[in-house]
Amino acid sequence: MPGGISHHAKDILFKSLSALYQNQALDVYGLHGLPRIKALLPNEFPSVRADERRADTVFLLEDDSILLLEYESNERFLDNHLKYLDYACRILHTYYQQEKRIRPIRIVVIYTSDVTSAREQLDAGDVFLSSKAVLLGEFNGDAIFHAIEEKVHNGEPLTPEETMKLILVPLMHTRFDRQTMIEKTIELAKAIGDEPKQLHIIAGVLTATDKFIDRSYAEKVKEWIKMNKVFRLLVEELEQEKEEMLKKVMQEKEQAVQRAIQEKEQAVQRVMQEKEQAIKQTEKRKAIEIAKNLLDVLPIHEIAKRTGLTVAEVADLAKEMDNDQPPIQ
């Protein structure tokens, strides 16, 4: 199939693949004894012929050797090994130019269920190339998919081995055609609750099936990955706005309650002051009435003492009463 994973989408996928492969062994391929993967390397190797060759996946292993991991669905072993020889020459040249040393190269070819046997050597006299073949047709993809599907639907976490196997299911022997199995696998991955693992698996499927996947479907999946990120950012932004709005509402509510309490306290204080003033006025009127009745009986200073009025107030009261007396005829 023409095309391939675009440069724009590759960054997201390779970051995800790095996290997926880096701390996991290659035992799921049956590759026991290989050093563990240390890092994912660039897989494009420009040459002096001004063209560009792209290997499927290139890894740096912990012993500083390089693993060239290829996916094939045909039995053109001679053509394929000549292609790997070209990749190996470009890899050797690239790293020799950078480091002035020769890195050992290991070649592993993952064959889809279309291939039932494979040759692992290209013997051209003094030029000899060998590879390690992994036949996915020997894996029961339906059984593996069903077992993993049950775990996902039950909310159970997947082991690293199950994660790797799910990525390779579309290339294994199943009762479905490859495109259908790719779509079933990606839809199952979307149902996984662990978001990083979900993205790792989808990225792995897109990379492993890059030569076989329907291009329009692959683009839809990549858009889903990008939109999913945009949606998550939007949700986070909305949640932040919601939190800020709630905080603002709570602050305004608290301020309103404080104002209401303050206004109530001020109203109560005014009522108490008015009540106190009314009581004082009533007591003053009573004291004046008593003083009036005592003016003809007691001296002014004694009346002041008994009523709580001042001597001046009693004296003024006496003058008022004298002025109110009718003149003697």
Side-chain angles (χ1 to χ4, degrees):
M1 226 173 246
I5 297 176
S6 67
H7 287 276
H8 182 71
K10 221 183 293 180
D11 288 341
I12 297 175
L13 299 184
F14 273 20
K15 283 179 185 176
S16 212
L17 278 178
S18 296
L20 177 65
Y21 279 102
Q22 187 145 350
N23 294 313
Q24 296 180 18
L26 296 167
D27 293 348
V28 69
Y29 296 111
L31 302 174
H32 305 287
L34 274 182
R36 293 176 67 87
I37 288 171
K38 187 175 180 181
L40 185 67
L41 297 175
N43 65 339
E44 292 171 347
F45 305 101
S47 77
V48 293
R49 295 195 302 270
D51 64 346
E52 187 179 80
R53 287 296 184 93
R54 181 167 65 87
D56 286 339
T57 317
V58 182
F59 294 107
L60 175 65
L61 303 184
E62 286 186 344
D63 66 349
D64 283 339
S65 65
I66 292 175
L67 171 64
L68 181 62
L69 190 64
E70 289 290 310
Y71 298 91
E72 301 292 355
S73 62
N74 62 70
E75 297 181 351
R76 297 192 298 271
F77 305 116
L78 180 58
D79 291 341
N80 291 337
H81 278 73
L82 287 173
K83 177 177 64 177
Y84 309 149
L85 181 60
D86 188 22
Y87 291 163
C89 289
R90 292 171 187 246
I91 291 171
L92 288 171
H93 180 75
T94 298
Y95 287 100
Y96 181 74
Q97 290 296 317
Q98 294 174 0
E99 306 169 347
K100 299 304 178 187
R101 66 167 175 149
I102 298 296
R103 282 184 179 272
I105 297 176
R106 304 169 189 266
I107 301 173
V108 173
V109 187
I110 311 297
Y111 290 97
T112 67
S113 58
D114 306 280
V115 181
T116 56
S117 64
R119 289 166 52 188
E120 297 181 315
Q121 296 178 345
L122 171 64
D123 189 348
D126 287 342
V127 177
F128 182 83
L129 186 74
S130 66
S131 64
K132 172 66 178 174
V134 177
L135 300 176
L136 293 182
E138 298 176 353
F139 290 73
N140 187 338
D142 290 325
I144 291 171
F145 184 86
H146 179 68
I148 294 174
E149 185 180 37
E150 279 196 347
K151 289 192 72 172
V152 171
H153 290 164
N154 291 333
E156 299 175 34
L158 301 183
T159 65
E161 184 179 356
E162 288 168 335
T163 301
M164 294 295 296
K165 282 184 176 179
L166 183 58
I167 289 172
L168 296 174
V169 159
L171 305 182
M172 296 177 184
H173 176 72
T174 74
R175 67 182 185 275
F176 298 100
D177 64 83
R178 183 159 296 126
Q179 181 60 33
T180 299
M181 207 63 211
I182 289 171
E183 295 178 17
K184 284 172 64 69
T185 301
I186 287 178
E187 289 306 308
L188 180 59
K190 289 180 182 179
I192 294 174
D194 184 338
E195 192 175 28
K197 182 161 285 188
Q198 178 190 92
L199 185 59
H200 294 339
I201 292 171
I202 294 174
V205 172
L206 289 177
T207 303
T209 64
D210 185 38
K211 294 178 179 176
F212 325 110
I213 193 170
D214 178 78
R215 289 295 132 208
S216 60
Y217 177 75
E219 290 305 318
K220 287 180 184 177
V221 174
K222 293 165 200 168
E223 285 301 315
W224 180 86
I225 292 173
K226 287 187 286 186
M227 287 303 294
N228 224 29
K229 286 194 168 187
V230 171
F231 179 72
R232 286 196 302 272
L233 291 173
L234 180 61
V235 168
E236 289 173 5
E237 186 177 333
L238 289 174
E239 285 296 327
Q240 187 176 359
E241 288 181 2
K242 181 180 175 183
E243 187 176 343
E244 290 174 356
M245 185 64 72
L246 183 61
K247 187 177 179 181
K248 184 178 178 182
V249 168
M250 292 302 294
Q251 286 176 342
E252 290 176 352
K253 186 176 180 181
E254 186 177 351
Q255 290 172 357
V257 169
Q258 290 297 328
R259 282 197 302 271
I261 292 173
Q262 191 176 8
E263 289 172 0
K264 186 175 180 181
E265 288 176 349
Q266 290 173 348
V268 169
Q269 192 174 4
R270 283 196 301 272
V271 169
M272 293 300 293
Q273 288 173 347
E274 290 171 0
K275 184 177 179 181
E276 187 177 349
Q277 189 174 2
I279 290 172
K280 286 181 179 179
Q281 289 175 347
T282 301
E283 290 177 347
K284 186 93 177 257
R285 285 196 296 269
K286 273 172 132 181
I288 290 172
E289 289 301 319
I290 294 171
K292 285 180 179 180
N293 293 328
L294 294 175
L295 279 172
D296 292 335
V297 179
L298 297 173
I300 289 176
H301 68 275
E302 186 64 27
I303 295 172
K305 185 177 177 181
R306 294 193 179 194
T307 60
L309 298 174
T310 64
V311 172
E313 286 175 330
V314 176
D316 290 340
L317 186 59
K319 288 179 183 178
E320 288 176 10
M321 293 185 65
D322 287 340
N323 291 335
D324 290 339
Q325 292 290 334
I328 299 175
Q329 298 294 328

